[in-house]
């Protein structure tokens, strides 16, 4: 099969090395689960999704905006528990403004959902959670707001970090981070103060 693919004639105007066309956006994610009802309840709380279509015995399609679906849950009773050593998707991330990220943190905490880790990575600050199937979920705010170029430059600068662990960022205690925001700290101030380690004390440890 590989040989056949390599020998397939290519049109002169359509070479294999032509740059790809980037998608407009990531549209949706899908999970299969043996805990359908538990996962359904979790995501309705976690992301505030509502069902757009549910098919008994098969699964459901859910959305948090006008897209017909942003999340799919396939019900498969034969699913086994995740094996930590297996390859596959590591996490899924959702972006918020810093205000909405912290309001969401407060809302989820009231529901008994707290992050297992929070970190200022430099370009972004992220709170990490797990769903009932142990999938890792990241809620993040860009530290440079809508200036995507600044965030990209900040990420590229991390390439020159001599310590690989330091390149990952600085741990954050969500409670002291939240308190600073409630006291009026701006996005820029929160970024500078957390990246300097001000909110690291009492932060959940980095998972090994």
């Amino acid at each position: 099969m590989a040989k056949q693919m390599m020998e397939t004639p290519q049109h002169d105007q359509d070479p294999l090395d032509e740059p790809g066309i980037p998608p407009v956006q990531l549209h949706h994610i899908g999970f299969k689960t043996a805990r359908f009802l538990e996962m359904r309840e979790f995501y309705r709380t976690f992301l505030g999704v509502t069902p757009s279509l549910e098919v008994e015995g098969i699964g459901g399609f859910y959305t948090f905006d006008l897209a017909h679906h942003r999340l799919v849950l396939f019900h498969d009773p034969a699913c086994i528990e995740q094996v930590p050593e297996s390859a596959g998707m590591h996490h899924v991330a959702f972006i918020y403004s810093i205000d909405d990220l912290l309001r969401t943190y407060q809302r989820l905490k009231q529901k008994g959902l707290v992050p297992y880790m929070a970190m200022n990575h430099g370009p972004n600050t992220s709170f990490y959670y797990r769903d009932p199937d142990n999938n890792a979920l990241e809620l993040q705010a860009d530290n440079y707001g809508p200036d995507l170029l600044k965030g990209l430059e900040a990420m590229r600068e991390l390439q020159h970090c001599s310590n690989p662990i330091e390149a990952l960022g600085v741990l954050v205690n969500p409670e002291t981070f939240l308190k600073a925001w409630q006291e009026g700290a701006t996005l820029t101030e929160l970024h500078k103060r957390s990246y300097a380690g001000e909110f690291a004390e009492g932060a959940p440890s980095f998972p090994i």
Side-chain angles (χ1 to χ4, degrees), residues 96-111:
Y96 291 82
S97 68
I98 190 65
D99 295 338
D100 285 348
L101 175 65
L102 289 165
R103 291 188 185 108
T104 298
Y105 166 73
Q106 291 176 288
R107 180 180 66 82
L108 293 177
K109 184 182 176 186
Q110 289 177 347
K111 302 284 188 178

Side-chain angles (χ1 to χ4, degrees), residues 133-208:
D133 278 345
N134 208 36
N135 297 302
L137 307 164
E138 175 183 359
L139 304 184
Q140 73 170 62
D142 281 352
N143 287 329
Y144 299 97
D147 193 339
L148 298 183
L149 181 57
K150 222 173 221 185
L152 179 60
E153 290 171 346
M155 176 69 85
R156 287 174 171 164
E157 278 298 311
L158 295 175
Q159 188 67 58
H160 306 296
C161 211
S162 57
N163 186 332
I165 298 299
E166 288 180 3
L168 296 178
V170 181
L171 290 168
V172 170
N173 182 332
E175 284 298 306
T176 52
F177 190 83
L178 171 67
K179 187 172 185 296
W181 173 74
Q182 290 172 327
E183 292 171 348
T186 65
L187 171 62
T188 299
E189 291 167 345
L190 287 168
H191 169 45
K192 288 181 178 177
R193 291 167 63 182
S194 58
Y195 210 50
E198 182 177 337
F199 309 121
E201 186 176 352
S205 59
F206 191 85
I208 303 300

